[in-house]
């Protein structure tokens, strides 16, 4: 994982000169992004480049993103980044238009176990789309105070014929990119409600924040920890198989089935965790017994910690 300065420099090196000049216009901010707003096409270019750099410099944990969802996760990263790159200069002060702020907004998204769940990230974009802000203190929705800098438009002041408020995708680029992100998110959720799509989407952005331990919620930390444990377990199994050759056919079938299950992001973390120790016993125990039964082969019985 590279430092924020390295990532930002790589980002600047990859974007065109016109986009670099727009970033420099917001020069009072560390690692700046364009402000005032630079338009839909430019935001799309910036988002694609930033995501490409992040995925290269801060790659996914092996096994965290299931193969069938890789394309969806990549597309969602680009769309959510574009939505954020539009939201920040349109509704926030210039000092918020920097790469750390992009990561902060992305970190606010969280997976829900039902379609009605709304994370802080969802509520932030809905404030523009509905003109209403959720007040934790009042436990109710109140009028949004957002004002769009380019024209002074207020989401709450945009009243539609059906009585609803807020800007539509045709009226606001932040809403447009966010709605496109939602289509990808809902497509994956409908196919696999338990898969933590949001965690996978925001994973590369972790590199842009100093306090990385606060980037994830507890269950997301558990999921990343599990993916790391499974990767190490897979490596141990591969090494043991190559060196000791102590697995019979039934052992191998059981171990490989367990590893496949442990990597299945569509199953809850708690359910997968319950099979972790069984996989460890099979991988470690089988080899130890085999070595103990054949001490003349020159393999250290206690080599696995």
């Amino acid at each position: 994982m590279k430092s924020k300065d390295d990532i930002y420099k790589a980002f600047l090196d990859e974007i065109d000169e016109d986009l670099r000049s727009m970033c420099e216009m917001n020069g009072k901010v560390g690692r700046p992004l364009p402000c005032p707003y630079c338009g839909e096409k430019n935001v799309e270019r910036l988002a694609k480049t930033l995501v490409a750099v992040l995925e290269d410099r801060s790659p996914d944990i092996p096994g965290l993103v299931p193969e069938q969802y890789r394309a969806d996760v990549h597309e969602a990263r680009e769309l959510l980044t574009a939505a954020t790159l539009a939201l920040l200069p349109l509704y926030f002060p210039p000092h918020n238009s920097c790469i750390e702020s992009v990561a902060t907004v992305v970190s606010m998204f969280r997976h829900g176990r039902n379609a009605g769940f709304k994370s802080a990230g969802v509520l932030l974009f809905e404030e523009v789309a509905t003109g209403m802000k959720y007040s934790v203190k009042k436990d109710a929705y109140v009028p949004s105070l957002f004002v769009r800098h380019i024209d002074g438009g207020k989401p709450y002041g945009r009243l539609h014929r059906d009585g609803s408020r807020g800007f539509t995708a045709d009226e606001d680029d932040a809403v447009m990119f966010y709605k496109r992100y939602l289509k990808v998110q809902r497509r994956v959720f409908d196919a696999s409600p338990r898969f933590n799509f949001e965690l996978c989407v925001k994973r590369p952005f972790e590199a842009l924040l100093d306090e990385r331990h606060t980037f994830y919620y507890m269950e997301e930390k558990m999921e990343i920890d599990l993916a790391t444990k499974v990767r190490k377990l897979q490596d141990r199994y591969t090494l043991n198989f190559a060196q000791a050759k102590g697995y019979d056919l039934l052992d191998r079938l059981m171990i490989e089935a367990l590893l496949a299950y442990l990597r299945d992001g569509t199953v809850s973390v708690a359910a997968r965790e319950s099979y972790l120790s069984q996989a460890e016993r099979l991988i470690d125990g089988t080899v130890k017994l085999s070595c103990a039964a054949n001490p003349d082969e020159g393999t250290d019985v206690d080599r696995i910690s």
Side-chain angles (χ1 to χ4, degrees):
M1 187 177 289
K2 305 294 184 181
S3 71
K4 290 183 291 184
D5 287 332
D6 290 340
I7 291 171
Y8 186 68
K9 183 179 183 304
F11 167 69
L12 289 180
D13 289 343
E14 290 295 324
I15 59 177
D16 295 330
E17 181 60 37
D18 61 329
L19 295 179
R20 257 196 310 276
S21 299
M22 294 177 194
C23 292
E24 291 169 359
M25 287 176 62
N26 192 22
K28 293 183 179 180
V29 184
R31 293 174 285 272
L33 294 169
C35 188
Y37 183 57
C38 60
E40 174 190 341
K41 296 300 181 184
N42 290 328
V43 158
E44 203 160 13
R45 292 162 62 200
L46 287 165
K48 287 181 179 295
T49 303
L50 181 55
V51 169
V53 168
L54 285 172
E55 289 181 338
D56 180 58
R57 301 301 196 281
S58 180
D60 292 318
I61 296 172
L64 185 64
V65 183
E67 187 63 36
Q68 67 265 37
Y69 296 129
R70 286 193 181 279
D72 290 320
V73 167
H74 177 76
E75 182 184 2
R77 285 170 179 165
E78 291 184 343
L79 291 172
L80 187 56
T81 301
T84 304
L85 287 170
L87 180 78
L88 292 172
L90 285 174
Y91 294 97
F92 289 87
H95 69 262
N96 288 124
S97 289
C98 61
I99 60 170
E100 289 90 342
S101 294
V102 173
T104 298
V105 172
V106 171
S107 75
M108 295 165 65
F109 282 80
R110 182 183 179 191
H111 181 70
R113 295 302 180 190
N114 61 73
F117 173 79
K118 293 183 179 181
S119 64
V122 170
L123 292 172
L124 180 63
F125 280 95
E126 281 197 353
E127 188 171 346
V128 181
T130 67
M132 302 298 290
K133 174 183 178 180
Y134 179 73
S135 170
V136 176
K137 185 180 293 186
K138 297 182 179 180
D139 189 24
Y141 285 91
V142 298
S144 169
L145 298 179
F146 271 161
V147 177
R148 191 163 57 188
H149 299 318
I150 56 172
D151 59 5
K154 299 179 181 181
Y156 182 73
R158 179 68 176 97
L159 183 63
H160 300 277
R161 290 181 178 180
D162 62 359
S164 63
R165 297 178 182 272
F167 293 129
T168 65
D170 293 331
E171 298 169 332
D172 190 276
D173 286 349
V175 175
M176 180 268 293
F177 283 118
Y178 173 65
K179 294 290 187 182
R180 287 172 59 189
Y181 161 79
L182 279 185
K183 287 184 180 179
V184 181
Q185 188 264 350
R186 285 170 181 162
R187 183 170 70 231
V188 174
F189 186 90
D190 289 343
S192 181
R194 286 189 170 185
F195 171 52
N196 197 330
F197 182 71
E198 288 76 8
L199 168 63
C200 295
V201 168
K202 68 186 185 179
R203 161 67 187 169
F205 296 86
E206 176 195 24
L208 297 178
L209 292 182
D210 291 325
E211 297 183 2
R212 290 171 187 160
H213 63 281
T214 65
F215 189 84
Y216 301 109
Y217 293 89
M218 183 60 67
E219 62 267 30
E220 292 175 336
K221 290 178 183 176
M222 289 170 58
E223 190 142 358
I224 288 175
D225 288 345
L226 178 61
T228 303
K229 290 175 185 176
V230 173
R231 185 182 78 248
K232 290 179 178 178
L233 208 54
Q234 176 71 63
D235 292 343
R236 222 151 76 212
Y237 169 58
T238 303
L239 181 64
N240 289 344
F241 185 75
Q243 293 183 350
K245 299 180 181 179
Y247 301 108
D248 61 27
L249 179 59
L250 181 58
D251 292 330
R252 288 165 53 193
L253 290 174
M254 290 181 66
I255 290 169
E256 287 165 11
L258 279 168
L259 288 173
Y261 179 77
L262 289 169
R263 287 192 295 265
D264 188 355
T266 65
V267 182
S268 70
V269 176
R272 284 179 285 156
E273 281 274 7
S274 65
Y275 285 90
L276 193 62
S277 59
Q278 182 179 346
E280 288 175 335
R281 285 196 301 271
L282 278 169
I283 290 171
D284 295 346
T286 302
V287 175
K288 289 180 180 177
L289 288 172
S290 174
C291 295
N294 300 282
D296 296 332
E297 291 183 6
T299 307
D300 185 358
V301 175
D302 296 324
R303 65 186 173 81
I304 301 176
S305 58

